[in-house]
Amino acid sequence: MTLLDRYSRPEMRAIWSDQSKIDKWLQVEVAVVQAWAREGVVPVADAEHIKERAFASPEEVSRREETIRHDLAAFVDVVAERCGAAGRWFHFGLTSSDVLDTALALQLREANTLIRREAVRYFNSLKARALDHVKTACVGRTHGIHAEPTTFGAKLASHAFEALRFIERFDAASEEVRVGKIAGAVGTYSTVPPHLEAAVLGELGLKPESAPTQIVARDRLAFYLGALSLGAAAVERFALEVRHLQRTEVAEVEEAFTETQKGSSAMPHKRNPVGAERLCGLARVLRSAHNAAEENVALWHERDISHSSVERVMLPLATATLHFMLSEAASLAANMKVFSEQMMSNLELTQGLVYSQRLLLALVRSGLERDRAYRAVQAAAIRASETRKPFIDTALEDPDITDVLSSEQVRECFNLDSALSNLSVIFDRLRDAQPPPSPD
């Protein structure tokens, strides 16, 4: 299929091109012929002739498919004819899915190399920016409402560790689909002995399906696309954070914006978080791909063809889309502008309300029953909001609080450095965090 250039990279499109697909079919078929030759079934001279002559172009296969309406059979016809008399051994003992599923595993392996590379770059970008902002104080929000102080570095550390977990899951998912199958029409090895399958798949760097039918089991692809969908969700969570923080009323970060870029066709002042919005939208594509993959698990008996059309669209689209998303997200993290002064201004916007829990806990530690302490702090906070006075002032004016805490104890509750003092453990973990070595 042709992938949309707008949301894919050339190196990924090349993997899913028609010629690349046919080349993988050839790789599988030739490996099988060579294995038959080692078995003494195919004459060595014929096997070498096939190896030298085996080729098919997408155009040739397409023209033949118009007549016989079967792409793999069309491919076999084209190559066999090109190989002359030796061509009778081409596709010997195989069924279409032996070639299709094994070749698909080879394509996925190449795609996974590209995806993992961008996933590592995304993690490294987040890690670097997090460590740049260890002490950049900002407000933490829950339900979209100011909650307690945090740092921008701590926010990014959360995303970095999520990216790292994706890499670990992705490695497991990549291994799950590193599986081929050369076991005949219903997986009984009636036309291909198991040791020949093992030899061919070993040469190709694949494992055999444990109990094959006509195909490799589709729960493997469902697991794989589930991992890809989670990777997209991780990118979406980061992109959504950027979108919120770039809102005019918040203005704490901003996507990189070039000198020649236009944010709106109508309003010259606009700088929209279009990159982050694009990432949030594309995550929906990955979720739909995962759903389709789960629908493909249950097939009739040893196999029907209902999964095939879905996978021809879904797998190139999902791998290319996630590869694009990770690449874009890595650049977004590396190049976004961070406005630390605005972060501090927003942190101070509620004039100290973000320290309410620290005041509550100080009262409890000093012996006040928790609900009474909660009500006292809540009342002081409401007065601060309604009168627009600093929260520390309304707290110091409240005898329910000052009868329990000294003014110095109250003021310590409003100490930003103290509130953030334990964050160092997160950054120690982040400094030590590294992606596992690449399985390849």
Side-chain angles (χ1 to χ4, degrees), residues 133-302:
H133 291 283
V134 169
K135 296 184 178 180
T136 303
C138 64
V139 67
R141 300 171 175 88
T142 59
H143 306 274
I145 308 300
H146 285 203
E148 291 191 339
T150 184
T151 71
F152 191 57
K155 277 178 173 283
L156 294 179
S158 172
H159 293 288
F161 278 112
E162 187 172 18
L164 185 60
R165 290 191 296 275
F166 165 68
I167 294 171
E168 293 166 349
R169 295 186 191 112
F170 180 70
D171 286 347
S174 298
E175 183 67 14
E176 184 78 11
V177 295
R178 193 173 63 85
V179 172
K181 173 258 174 184
I182 301 172
V186 293
T188 57
Y189 299 101
S190 64
T191 55
V192 182
H195 68 269
L196 189 142
E197 177 193 58
V200 171
L201 294 181
E203 179 183 328
L204 297 174
L206 304 176
K207 303 176 297 182
E209 177 58 83
S210 306
T213 59
Q214 190 177 84
I215 59 172
V216 167
R218 260 41 193 177
D219 63 294
R220 295 182 182 278
L221 287 174
F223 179 80
Y224 172 77
L225 282 159
L228 266 58
S229 179
L230 273 176
V235 170
E236 180 185 23
R237 189 172 80 91
F238 170 61
L240 192 63
E241 183 74 9
V242 171
R243 289 173 61 190
H244 172 74
L245 296 181
Q246 189 167 333
R247 289 168 55 215
T248 304
E249 295 84 355
V250 181
E252 293 182 3
V253 305
E254 185 178 274
E255 283 186 13
F257 196 89
T258 67
E259 291 183 3
T260 58
Q261 187 173 343
K262 291 184 178 182
S264 165
S265 64
M267 297 168 283
H269 74 280
K270 293 278 279 180
R271 292 188 174 192
N272 301 323
V274 292
E277 290 173 333
R278 182 183 303 121
L279 293 174
C280 289
L282 290 175
R284 300 167 191 170
V285 175
L286 270 295
R287 282 193 285 277
S288 66
H290 180 211
N291 179 70
E294 290 197 340
E295 295 288 340
N296 279 352
V297 172
L299 302 174
W300 284 26
H301 307 298
E302 278 61 51

Side-chain angles (χ1 to χ4, degrees), residues 116 119-121 123-125 127-128 131 160-161 163-168 171 427-438:
R116 194 183 197 279
V120 170
R121 191 167 77 88
F123 165 75
N124 286 335
S125 294
K127 178 179 178 178
L131 295 178
F161 278 112
L164 185 60
R165 290 191 296 275
F166 165 68
I167 294 171
E168 293 166 349
D171 286 347
F427 297 110
D428 289 343
R429 293 168 185 157
L430 184 60
R431 290 185 186 93
D432 292 338
Q434 297 290 340
S438 174

Side-chain angles (χ1 to χ4, degrees), residues 55 63 88 189 192-193 214 220 227 256 269 279 283 286 310 312-313 324 330 386 407 419:
F55 175 77
R63 283 195 298 270
R88 72 185 188 278
Y189 299 101
V192 182
Q214 190 177 84
R220 295 182 182 278
H269 74 280
L279 293 174
L286 270 295
V310 180
R312 288 171 189 260
V313 175
F324 174 86
E386 291 177 346
S407 61

Side-chain angles (χ1 to χ4, degrees), residues 96-105 179-181 214-216 218:
S96 297
S97 290
D98 288 333
V99 180
L100 294 172
D101 280 4
T102 304
L104 176 60
V179 172
K181 173 258 174 184
Q214 190 177 84
I215 59 172
V216 167
R218 260 41 193 177

Side-chain angles (χ1 to χ4, degrees), residues 277-421:
E277 290 173 333
R278 182 183 303 121
L279 293 174
C280 289
L282 290 175
R284 300 167 191 170
V285 175
L286 270 295
R287 282 193 285 277
S288 66
H290 180 211
N291 179 70
E294 290 197 340
E295 295 288 340
N296 279 352
V297 172
L299 302 174
W300 284 26
H301 307 298
E302 278 61 51
R303 182 232 183 176
D304 63 57
I305 202 173
S306 61
H307 66 290
S308 177
S309 56
V310 180
E311 290 169 3
R312 288 171 189 260
V313 175
M314 173 182 69
L315 289 171
L317 184 62
T319 52
T321 300
L322 183 61
H323 178 247
F324 174 86
M325 290 179 69
L326 290 166
S327 176
E328 291 289 296
S331 297
L332 175 61
N335 299 317
M336 65 182 173
K337 296 180 181 179
V338 178
F339 305 114
S340 56
E341 292 182 2
Q342 181 64 24
M343 288 181 176
M344 181 59 74
S345 177
N346 286 342
L347 175 59
E348 296 172 344
L349 190 64
T350 59
Q351 301 192 81
L353 293 182
V354 292
Y355 299 103
S356 68
Q357 182 175 202
R358 290 173 59 79
L359 183 57
L360 164 66
L361 296 180
L363 290 169
V364 172
R365 277 195 299 269
S366 296
L368 197 61
E369 188 268 327
R370 181 180 174 86
D371 188 62
R372 286 187 59 196
Y374 188 101
R375 296 302 180 186
V377 173
Q378 185 181 51
I382 291 172
R383 287 195 300 275
S385 296
E386 291 177 346
T387 62
R388 298 187 179 277
K389 293 177 64 174
F391 181 33
I392 191 170
D393 291 349
T394 61
L396 288 169
E397 294 167 359
D398 191 326
D400 288 338
I401 295 173
T402 55
D403 285 352
V404 180
L405 299 175
S406 68
S407 61
E408 290 78 10
Q409 288 174 311
V410 172
R411 293 182 189 281
E412 175 57 25
C413 295
F414 291 79
N415 185 308
L416 177 61
D417 290 338
S418 178
L420 301 176
S421 61

